[in-house]
Amino acid sequence: VLGVHSLYLLSVRVNPITYFKKALPALSFAFTSRSSAGTLPLNIETQTKALGVDETTANFAASFGLSIGQNGCAGVYPAMLATIVAPTVGINVHSLSFILMLIVVVTISSFGVAGVGGGATFASLIVLGSMNLPVAIVGLVISVEPLIDMARTLINVSDSMVAGVVTSHRIHELNRDVLNDQEALIATEE
């Protein structure tokens, strides 16, 4: 997924290496805290002070990404579990009705998923329960959930920062002087 982020950045003439170097403090915090909500202030500060995103766009992208744009936690993971579980109860995962129902349920359920550690577990329970699939599978994967959740949270925070950079570029508000300034980094506490 970070490769896709790199492609988006390249499409707006932003060096992915520069982006990841500057985003590292926020992404590291997201990874270790497993909390998109806890990373919100650092996300906004990174976008505005290190990546050159205008303040309005940074606030919108970070807040929107926190509440609905959680692709890893509220989208991919529950959809993956539903697709794995469906054949065990005789559902054809290639049927148009299953795919459309899954898209609708995952989209609607993503609105209410909290940006805290373990949010994907609740999203999975919502999706599986709404689609009348057995929820017991969640109990089987819960032991490795924290490790998976760390990566998903990093992806979600990066999603919102990339969205901020791309949007700021598109509305001609991206400050490339800040973006290209190698000294414009977010300081981390030692």
Side-chain angles (χ1 to χ4, degrees):
V1 176
L2 296 177
V4 173
H5 291 174
S6 297
L7 292 175
Y8 277 119
L9 292 166
L10 287 170
S11 76
V12 295
R13 300 181 334 271
V14 172
N15 184 339
I17 294 170
T18 301
Y19 165 80
F20 286 113
K21 179 181 174 187
K22 290 181 167 224
L24 185 62
L27 297 178
S28 298
F29 185 82
F31 185 79
T32 56
S33 70
R34 297 174 43 211
S35 174
S36 298
T39 310
L40 182 63
L42 190 55
N43 182 336
I44 294 169
E45 183 179 8
T46 300
Q47 287 188 62
T48 56
K49 294 183 180 172
L51 297 172
V53 175
D54 63 287
E55 187 131 355
T56 303
T57 302
N59 277 295
F60 182 77
S63 300
F64 197 70
L66 167 67
S67 61
I68 189 176
Q70 297 188 58
N71 300 330
C73 293
V76 175
Y77 185 69
M80 176 192 71
L81 281 180
T83 305
I84 291 169
V85 171
T88 66
V89 292
I91 297 174
N92 178 7
V93 295
H94 300 291
S95 73
L96 186 59
S97 62
F98 174 79
I99 294 169
L100 290 175
M101 177 65 128
L102 184 61
I103 290 170
V104 168
V105 170
V106 164
T107 302
I108 292 170
S109 71
S110 72
F111 294 150
V113 174
V116 296
T121 302
F122 299 110
S124 299
L125 292 170
I126 293 168
V127 170
L128 294 174
S130 297
M131 297 186 70
N132 293 322
L133 296 171
V135 296
I137 187 73
V138 175
L140 295 174
V141 296
I142 205 158
S143 63
V144 293
E145 178 69 23
L147 296 172
I148 299 167
D149 196 34
M150 294 167 93
R152 281 191 308 250
T153 304
L154 180 142
I155 297 293
N156 292 336
V157 171
S158 184
D159 280 342
S160 65
M161 289 197 296
V162 168
V165 170
V166 170
T167 303
S168 194
H169 166 78
R170 296 278 188 232
I171 63 172
H172 308 291
E173 294 290 331
L174 184 63
N175 186 337
R176 290 196 179 266
D177 291 334
V178 172
L179 176 66
N180 294 320
D181 181 1
Q182 296 303 316
E183 300 299 317
L185 299 170
I186 300 303
T188 57
E189 296 294 321
E190 298 280 330

